[in-house]
Amino acid sequence: MKEIQDIVRAYGVARQLNKKTALATVVQVEGSAYRRPGARMLVTEDGELTGAISGGCLEGDALRKARLVMTQQKALLVTYDTTDDDDSRLGVGLGCNGIIQILIEPIVAEDLNNPIALLSAVISQRQQAVIITLFSLQNRLGFQPGTCLLLPEKGDKRGDKYPLELSELLEKEGNQVLQSKKSLIRNYQLQDKVLSAFVEYLHPPVSVIVLGGGNDVQPLVQMASILGWSVTVIDGRTNYAVKTRFPTADKVLVAKPQQVLENITVDAQTVFLLMTHNYNYDLAMLRQLLPLPVVYVGVLGPKKKLNQMLEELESDGMEITPDQMQKIYGPLGLNIGAETPEEIALSAISEIKAVLAGKEGTFLRQKPQAIHERSVVNTPIPVGSSQPVSDEVI
């Protein structure tokens, strides 16, 4: 989500300066690649790049093609085949082993449903959404519909560049992706042509609620902000909860435990860290957080402290279920030998990322499979048919 935020921000600057722009999007990958479908890069006519579609090896060639797209005002689908051992013909050393499809679209400011407008609508509200991008592998030089449909969790759909006969199917796919929270690619047979749809699931940025405003919280707030996470720092002490101490935080609030939940919105992307170094404050917060539908509550300090808090809550008559215990991470952080505040922040941030991604946080070299799941291209669905086919899940 941070990449999208940066792109929208950069586009606003480019538009003020009256610069032409184009958006490059990775829409399909077969095999290995540095970036997966959904990676984006904004290109300006003077060569400024925001975002990334690779580790740096494709950007130069994509820049040249993006300038062509700006000139012709026509979307272009570009294929980079890195399975070829001799990749010198691209002028780059790719070092991957996959086929990467990148769609480059001109941004027309007057078009209220241009790709940036749809992405702006996604980040303007804190909710889940699906963005659908249509492209044609069959006719690369022909019409490429591009980023054409936004389906928010709440509110009306936006977009108008897709074939009308696909409208019902695309909305159905979008609603399924909202439920599964997994992007996918579908192929559709429309009479004599095949269109591919990248149905992309987008969720709001992680919202980190840090209870505690000590010096050890400062590096954690900085790291979370670098990732594009929304950060709120809350402390009961007025001399600790000060914006100048946490300049990158979105909010810095002074609140007692019973006031905390009144000042924040809790959703599936919200995580909590108890870092006040105040036993009674942390205890009061843990009592409120356990019943909430969140997946992560990190507790700073030794295991003995957490056990004592849990025992005290149970002695007060609170029944703590196995599901509630599953969301508590104490001591917080991955076991990386962290000692300093900066290292502890790295440990905590890594653990949060692993939990939200459903990963174990182990060494990648111990993983027997590839880092990313391999995609399998499905058989095109004849439009008007209910024939089931396998999905290409991203």
Side-chain angles (χ1 to χ4, degrees), residues 93-240:
L94 295 169
C96 296
N97 189 29
I99 301 174
I100 308 159
Q101 308 289 350
I102 295 177
L103 183 67
I104 307 176
E105 305 170 78
I107 307 302
V108 181
E110 295 74 23
D111 180 2
L112 299 180
N113 288 319
N114 70 56
I116 301 297
L118 297 185
L119 293 174
S120 298
V122 170
I123 65 175
S124 65
Q125 298 186 29
R126 188 172 178 82
Q127 63 172 317
Q128 302 174 97
V130 165
I131 288 272
I132 298 180
T133 303
L134 288 176
F135 57 99
S136 174
L137 293 169
Q138 183 186 55
N139 185 12
R140 299 174 183 279
L141 300 179
F143 175 63
Q144 301 287 346
T147 308
C148 60
L149 183 60
L150 166 63
L151 298 170
E153 180 183 13
K154 299 175 182 178
D156 297 330
K157 66 178 182 180
R158 285 185 59 176
D160 52 14
K161 299 182 184 67
Y162 53 89
L164 291 178
E165 58 266 42
L166 280 181
S167 179
E168 186 176 340
L169 279 172
L170 293 179
E171 288 191 45
K172 180 181 177 182
E173 303 286 10
N175 290 328
Q176 289 178 350
V177 166
L178 277 174
Q179 293 297 319
S180 68
K181 304 184 190 309
K182 290 184 178 180
S183 302
L184 57 81
I185 291 176
R186 286 282 209 186
N187 294 327
Y188 298 103
Q189 179 78 49
L190 286 85
Q191 298 178 354
D192 60 342
K193 62 182 179 181
V194 176
L195 278 180
S196 299
F198 172 38
V199 188
E200 180 183 9
Y201 172 72
L202 296 171
H203 55 69
V206 178
S207 175
V208 183
I209 314 298
V210 187
L211 285 307
N215 291 345
D216 57 341
V217 173
Q218 291 174 323
L220 186 142
V221 171
Q222 292 171 353
M223 290 183 190
S225 298
I226 289 173
L227 293 173
W229 295 359
S230 173
V231 185
T232 300
V233 178
I234 304 176
D235 200 297
R237 300 163 291 184
T238 56
N239 58 326
Y240 278 72

Side-chain angles (χ1 to χ4, degrees), residues 110-394:
E110 295 74 23
D111 180 2
L112 299 180
N113 288 319
N114 70 56
I116 301 297
L118 297 185
L119 293 174
S120 298
V122 170
I123 65 175
S124 65
Q125 298 186 29
R126 188 172 178 82
Q127 63 172 317
Q128 302 174 97
V130 165
I131 288 272
I132 298 180
T133 303
L134 288 176
F135 57 99
S136 174
L137 293 169
Q138 183 186 55
N139 185 12
R140 299 174 183 279
L141 300 179
F143 175 63
Q144 301 287 346
T147 308
C148 60
L149 183 60
L150 166 63
L151 298 170
E153 180 183 13
K154 299 175 182 178
D156 297 330
K157 66 178 182 180
R158 285 185 59 176
D160 52 14
K161 299 182 184 67
Y162 53 89
L164 291 178
E165 58 266 42
L166 280 181
S167 179
E168 186 176 340
L169 279 172
L170 293 179
E171 288 191 45
K172 180 181 177 182
E173 303 286 10
N175 290 328
Q176 289 178 350
V177 166
L178 277 174
Q179 293 297 319
S180 68
K181 304 184 190 309
K182 290 184 178 180
S183 302
L184 57 81
I185 291 176
R186 286 282 209 186
N187 294 327
Y188 298 103
Q189 179 78 49
L190 286 85
Q191 298 178 354
D192 60 342
K193 62 182 179 181
V194 176
L195 278 180
S196 299
F198 172 38
V199 188
E200 180 183 9
Y201 172 72
L202 296 171
H203 55 69
V206 178
S207 175
V208 183
I209 314 298
V210 187
L211 285 307
N215 291 345
D216 57 341
V217 173
Q218 291 174 323
L220 186 142
V221 171
Q222 292 171 353
M223 290 183 190
S225 298
I226 289 173
L227 293 173
W229 295 359
S230 173
V231 185
T232 300
V233 178
I234 304 176
D235 200 297
R237 300 163 291 184
T238 56
N239 58 326
Y240 278 72
V242 180
K243 180 63 175 176
T244 54
R245 287 173 49 78
F246 305 98
T248 61
D250 295 84
K251 295 180 183 178
V252 180
L253 306 174
V254 178
K256 297 178 181 180
Q258 59 270 28
Q259 300 170 322
V260 168
L261 296 182
E262 300 173 0
N263 291 281
I264 60 175
T265 299
V266 178
D267 57 33
Q269 288 289 105
T270 305
V271 300
F272 290 85
L273 295 98
L274 306 184
M275 301 180 66
T276 66
H277 299 279
N278 181 317
Y279 179 87
N280 290 326
Y281 196 111
D282 286 352
L283 178 66
M285 283 308 309
L286 189 59
R287 187 190 305 273
Q288 297 180 72
L289 296 179
L290 284 175
L292 296 182
V294 295
V295 297
Y296 183 93
V297 178
V299 183
L300 182 68
K303 190 76 171 181
K304 181 179 179 181
K305 169 193 169 184
L306 175 59
N307 290 336
Q308 182 179 341
M309 293 168 67
L310 294 172
E311 290 173 4
E312 188 166 341
L313 291 176
E314 289 181 321
S315 66
D316 287 344
M318 184 175 187
E319 181 182 352
I320 303 176
T321 67
D323 286 343
Q324 290 173 340
M325 284 297 300
Q326 192 69 25
K327 72 178 69 173
I328 304 173
Y329 290 80
L332 62 80
L334 295 183
N335 183 15
I336 60 172
E339 294 288 347
T340 67
E342 292 78 11
E343 292 170 349
I344 293 170
L346 176 62
S347 170
I349 291 289
S350 299
E351 181 177 61
I352 292 169
K353 172 59 181 173
V355 170
L356 291 176
K359 304 298 182 181
E360 293 294 326
T362 54
F363 297 115
L364 282 175
R365 71 177 184 179
Q366 295 177 347
K367 187 177 181 182
Q369 305 88 8
I371 296 175
H372 301 289
E373 293 181 4
R374 290 290 187 261
S375 299
V376 178
V377 179
N378 61 61
T379 303
I381 303 174
V383 173
S385 168
S386 59
Q387 175 187 359
V389 297
S390 60
D391 294 334
E392 180 183 339
V393 178
I394 308 303

Side-chain angles (χ1 to χ4, degrees), residues 2-11 22-26 34-35 38-44 47-56 58-59 62:
K2 181 179 185 298
E3 187 167 67
I4 293 177
Q5 294 170 333
D6 291 343
I7 285 173
V8 170
R9 192 178 302 113
Y11 172 74
L23 182 69
T25 305
V26 179
Y34 185 80
R35 297 299 306 272
R40 292 178 172 86
M41 181 177 73
L42 183 75
V43 183
T44 65
E48 185 174 348
L49 308 178
T50 303
I53 53 173
S54 73
L58 302 181
E59 275 70 5

